[in-house]
Amino acid sequence: MSVTAAEGFLASGLHAGIKSRRRDMALLVTQDRAPVTCAAVFTQNKFAAPPVVLDRQKLAENGGRAAGIVVNSGNANAGTGKPGLAHAEAMASAAASAAGVAEEHMLVCSTGIIGTPLPMEKILAAIPKLAEKLSREGAEDAAYGILTTDKTPKQAVIQGSTFTLGGMAKGCGMIAPNMATMLAFLTTDAAMDPELLQRALLDASDATFNTLNVDGATSTNDSAFLLASGRRGVPDAQEFADAVHRLCEDLTLQMARDAEGMTKMVRLRVTGAASDSEARAAAKAIAENNLVKCSWYGADPYWGRLLAAAGSAGIAFETEKSAVAYGGILVAEQGAPLAHDEKAVTEHMAQECAEIEVMLGLGSGEAQVIGIDLGPGYIKENSVTS
């Protein structure tokens, strides 16, 4: 039941006609329609879509509380100006009325193409049907209703000793670090202090969602929410934080495996940087480099491209102290190749998920990025508006 696995939540999803065939709307509400503590992380893109603007405003004004979230896919309601904000408000208002919650506690999310007005007639006609379909079993429909170019829904559940944590997410393109990275909706029946809940989501997002780099593009709509019904009491804080991390990691890896055109996922670690921030900059530069991504597509351990990308990242870099390893096998040191087991490296790179480490030898800074290869599938998907 993923997003409704925790006590106190209902969900639904359906096809409203925004997309030609697939489910394209979802609704998540508290079972008693009362507002609960809600933590949130939003995109850092300054060209934020109206739903992001509205949700930030509502959570700031109501003290971080929510009773529901209505979602549409197929249209991001981004680049739509003041009419777009009015549409987001109307969408939230209609969902609040249909579900029986206070308007100030209904949030709204949109995902899909940019620069096109929402088809409000279809959306407003579908919202009452979404409200009628609400149930704990509706989580599956909801998980499908939030997808855009995703091939499969992303869902996960963690059972703690005194709480349940569940969630769903979408995202397979326009994903880069330092933001929420996609749409994610997490729920728990734990009773959490608002500041601790926000910290748990922020820390987990930073360690998981923010390490995924599909194409270096920061979306206009990215949002992640964690709602806590409090029905099962106060949990152990560390156990809860660890569970949020594990749930977000699970969803992150599901998104990586479903990335647009993806044939290979790479866990890239940069170690030995002058600082963690410089390690993150190097990792980002490597993971977004098209030459590197093409070599990953070809399963080619072309280590020179990795160092070339790191050396151009604007960080402290000394060739004589650098090294590169594929699957734990050292292939280059001091900017030059090393004799190694080429067959073992080739076999490692042939796997769906490869492990690569770039060592800078300058300090204790480190970072990890989950990178994706670049092949014909990604180009085909993004050569037209999608």
Side-chain angles (χ1 to χ4, degrees):
M1 292 187 287
S2 66
V3 79
T4 60
E7 294 180 19
F9 298 96
L10 306 175
S12 63
L14 53 69
H15 176 236
I18 305 168
K19 297 187 291 191
S20 59
R21 290 181 299 275
R22 300 175 70 184
R23 278 162 281 194
D24 50 22
M25 287 197 72
L27 180 61
L28 171 67
V29 301
T30 56
Q31 191 168 9
D32 59 7
R33 309 312 198 261
V36 298
T37 302
C38 176
V41 178
F42 296 104
T43 181
Q44 293 184 22
N45 193 322
K46 293 181 180 179
F47 183 50
V52 171
V53 174
L54 182 61
D55 290 347
R56 281 174 171 158
Q57 177 184 324
K58 284 193 173 187
L59 291 172
E61 291 176 349
N62 70 24
R65 308 275 287 173
I69 308 174
V70 62
V71 190
N72 79 271
S73 62
N75 186 311
N77 191 16
T80 49
K82 290 183 179 179
L85 183 58
H87 285 164
E89 291 171 341
M91 189 171 160
S93 178
S97 177
V101 306
E103 188 171 337
E104 63 266 27
H105 294 130
M106 178 61 71
L107 306 179
V108 59
C109 291
S110 298
T111 180
I113 60 174
I114 293 173
T116 301
L118 284 177
M120 290 303 293
E121 185 175 339
K122 294 178 180 179
I123 288 173
L124 295 179
I127 285 176
K129 299 174 185 177
L130 276 171
E132 291 173 5
K133 286 168 59 70
L134 286 166
S135 69
R136 292 197 73 186
E137 292 71 33
E140 187 81 4
D141 283 339
Y144 274 96
I146 66 175
L147 305 182
T148 49
T149 57
D150 310 60
K151 300 182 188 70
T152 60
K154 288 84 181 168
Q155 303 179 83
V157 176
I158 301 288
Q159 294 290 349
S161 60
T162 63
F163 63 88
T164 298
L165 185 69
M168 62 181 183
K170 63 79 52 182
C172 57
M174 210 173 194
I175 293 178
N178 300 323
M179 55 177 191
T181 0
M182 73 287 128
L183 296 185
F185 307 92
L186 316 181
T187 58
T188 183
D189 43 29
M192 290 294 294
D193 173 85
E195 290 187 6
L196 291 179
L197 191 72
Q198 183 69 29
R199 175 49 55 190
L201 181 61
L202 280 171
D203 289 348
S205 295
D206 191 48
T208 60
F209 296 153
N210 290 347
T211 68
L212 179 57
N213 196 324
V214 170
D215 50 19
T218 301
S219 172
T220 55
N221 293 60
D222 298 322
S223 308
F225 304 90
L226 173 52
L227 285 73
S229 70
R231 290 200 174 191
R232 294 176 62 189
V234 180
D236 177 83
Q238 188 58 55
E239 182 192 5
F240 182 79
D242 290 343
V244 176
H245 179 277
R246 286 190 290 131
L247 185 79
C248 293
E249 183 176 48
D250 190 334
L251 293 172
T252 299
L253 293 176
Q254 289 184 54
M255 286 188 289
R257 292 189 178 96
D258 197 25
E260 292 172 347
M262 175 268 189
T263 68
K264 185 174 300 299
M265 176 171 62
V266 175
R267 286 182 181 267
L268 170 68
R269 291 183 64 231
V270 173
T271 60
S275 66
D276 287 348
S277 62
E278 293 210 348
R280 286 193 293 270
K284 186 173 187 294
I286 295 169
E288 292 177 3
N289 186 285
N290 284 339
L291 289 175
V292 170
K293 291 164 74 70
C294 287
S295 67
W296 290 347
Y297 174 75
D300 181 13
Y302 198 166
W303 59 267
R305 288 180 176 174
L306 306 177
L307 293 183
S312 66
I315 63 165
F317 182 91
E318 296 180 28
T319 300
E320 295 75 16
K321 296 181 179 180
S322 67
V324 177
Y326 288 81
I329 302 170
L330 204 62
V331 300
E333 196 171 47
Q334 297 180 353
L338 282 178
H340 61 274
D341 186 339
E342 294 184 6
K343 181 180 179 182
V345 171
T346 299
E347 290 175 351
H348 179 76
M349 287 301 293
Q351 299 175 9
E352 181 188 45
C353 182
E355 306 274 346
I356 300 175
E357 183 177 3
V358 175
M359 295 156 272
L360 301 183
L362 298 173
S364 58
E366 60 180 64
Q368 176 177 284
V369 164
I370 299 172
I372 303 298
D373 63 345
L374 175 62
Y378 181 87
I379 297 170
K380 180 180 179 180
E381 178 63 45
N382 291 283
S383 59
V384 295
T385 301
S386 65

